[in-house]
C-alpha cells in the first residue's frame, strides 16, 4: 500500500522485501558496515507473528528515508503485551530538510 506525498515521492509500510535497500541506505548514510543479518535480527518479528513495523519513503523506486521500530513482547499477569521502540530513523543527505 502506497501513500503519495509529492510527485514521485511516496510512503509505504516496511516489509521484509525492503530490508536489502534498508541496510544499504543505513550503511551509506551512517558510514557503517552493518550486515543484512543484523537488521533481520533487529526488525524481523517472526517470533511474535507480527509484521515489520516502520515506514519507508521512496523517490520513484529509490529508498530515500525510513523510520523503523523494534517490537518487544512481555508478559504480565498471564497476558502478552507488545511494545514498539523507535529503532532507526534517517534520510539520505540529498533529501534531508525537505519535509519528508
Amino acid at each position: 500500500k502506497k501513500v503519495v506525498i509529492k510527485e514521485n515521492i511516496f510512503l509505504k509500510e516496511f516489509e521484509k522485501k525492503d530490508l536489502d535497500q534498508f541496510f544499504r541506505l543505513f550503511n551509506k548514510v551512517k558510514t557503517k558496515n552493518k550486515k543484512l543479518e543484523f537488521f533481520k535480527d533487529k526488525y524481523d518479528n517472526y517470533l511474535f507473528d507480527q509484521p515489520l513495523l516502520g515506514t519507508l519513503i521512496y523517490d520513484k523506486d529509490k529508498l530515500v528515508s525510513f523510520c523503523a521500530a523494534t517490537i518487544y513482547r512481555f508478559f504480565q499477569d498471564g497476558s502478552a503485551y507488545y511494545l514498539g521502540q523507535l529503532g532507526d530513523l534517517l534520510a539520505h543527505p540529498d533529501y534531508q530538510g525537505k519535509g519528508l
Side-chain angles (χ1 to χ4, degrees), residues 43-92:
Y43 292 112
D44 192 348
N45 302 306
Y46 67 92
L47 292 175
F48 307 139
D49 194 29
Q50 298 290 318
L52 276 65
L53 183 59
T55 302
L56 308 176
I57 297 178
Y58 282 84
D59 183 350
K60 298 180 186 167
D61 61 349
K62 177 183 172 187
L63 178 63
V64 297
S65 183
F66 58 75
C67 176
T70 52
I71 295 178
Y72 300 95
R73 179 174 63 179
F74 63 96
F75 297 91
Q76 184 174 1
D77 300 326
S79 296
Y81 296 90
Y82 294 90
L83 171 72
Q85 176 185 5
L86 182 61
D88 295 298
L89 170 67
L90 65 83
H92 187 281

